[in-house]
Amino acid sequence: MKTPAEVGPIAEYLITTYCTSVGAETPDDVRKACELLISKAARAIEKYNDQVVALEVLGRTSRNLAAHPMEPALADPLYREAVEAVVKNQRASATFLQRRFGIGYNRAAHMIEAMERDRIVSAANRDGARTVLMLEVSHAH
C-alpha cells in the first residue's frame, strides 16, 4: 500500500494526464470527463488512505486545470475514415471504432455522437444500439 505522500502525486499525474489526453470537442466535455475521473480518484484515495489526502489531491488538480485551461479540439482528423468504416461495416458503436482504429473510448464516443448529429447513424435505442442510416458514403461528408 502506498503512503499518502506517495498517492497524492501519482493521482494528480494520472488525472492531469487523462484530462489532457481526452479527445474532447468542447471545454464542457473536458470538464465532465475531469469531474468523473476526479470523483473516482477521490473515492479511491479516500478508501485506501484518508479524506485529507483526497481533498489535497483534488485541490491541487483543480488548481492545475484552472491554470492550464484546455482549448476545444479541432475537428477529428480520423472522423471521415470512421464514417467510412461505420457505413461499410454497418456497425455504429464506440467499441467498434475503438477496436478498428486503436483509439480511446471518449474519442470514439464523440465521433459516434458527431455521426448522429450528421444523420449518419440513428440515436441510440433503449438498448444503446444505433442503426447506420447510410448505405454508402456520400462525398459531401
Side-chain angles (χ1 to χ4, degrees), residues 67-114:
H68 303 95
M70 292 169 220
E71 296 297 321
L74 298 173
D76 196 312
L78 194 58
Y79 181 71
R80 182 163 178 78
E81 283 183 67
V83 168
E84 290 172 3
V86 163
V87 172
K88 179 181 177 187
N89 293 282
Q90 293 292 296
R91 295 185 64 197
S93 72
T95 303
F96 169 71
L97 293 180
Q98 281 182 276
R99 289 182 181 147
R100 176 87 162 83
F101 296 104
I103 59 176
Y105 177 80
N106 285 338
R107 184 177 182 190
H110 286 296
M111 284 195 278
I112 291 292
E113 290 168 1

Side-chain angles (χ1 to χ4, degrees), residues 2-16:
K2 301 273 186 204
T3 67
E6 294 170 312
V7 171
I10 292 169
E12 186 173 355
Y13 170 78
L14 292 173
I15 292 168
T16 304

